[in-house]
Amino acid sequence: MDIKVTPSARAEIDVLEIAEKLVREDFYANDYINSTLKLISDDIPYDMVKNNYLELMKMIFV
C-alpha cells in the first residue's frame, strides 16, 4: 500500500514480519483456546484463525 497504515509503528518496523512470527510461534494459542473460544459461538479452529490472520496481514502490508 502507498499509505502509512500503522502510524504507531516506527518506520523501520516490519509489521508483516512480526505478524508471521506471532503465527509461527502460536503466540496467542492459549488465549484463543482458553478465552476466545468461550466468547464466540463458532467453533473455529486456531489454525484457521492463524491462516486468515496471516492472509489479511499480507493483503494490507505487501
Side-chain angles (χ1 to χ4, degrees):
M1 295 183 86
D2 62 350
I3 60 171
K4 186 172 179 150
V5 293
T6 56
S8 62
R10 295 187 306 260
E12 67 272 10
I13 300 298
D14 185 340
V15 177
L16 182 57
E17 180 181 327
I18 292 171
E20 290 172 335
K21 181 178 179 183
L22 292 173
V23 167
R24 273 193 319 274
E25 295 178 358
D26 287 332
F27 185 81
Y28 289 108
N30 287 334
D31 178 72
Y32 183 79
I33 292 165
N34 296 320
S35 298
T36 304
L37 279 177
K38 295 174 183 171
L39 299 172
I40 61 175
S41 59
D42 299 323
D43 187 17
I44 303 170
Y46 182 65
D47 285 337
M48 182 183 289
V49 172
K50 287 189 332 180
N51 292 336
N52 288 339
Y53 170 74
L54 194 52
E55 288 304 313
L56 177 63
M57 292 296 102
K58 288 177 181 177
M59 287 176 18
I60 296 171
F61 296 106
V62 172

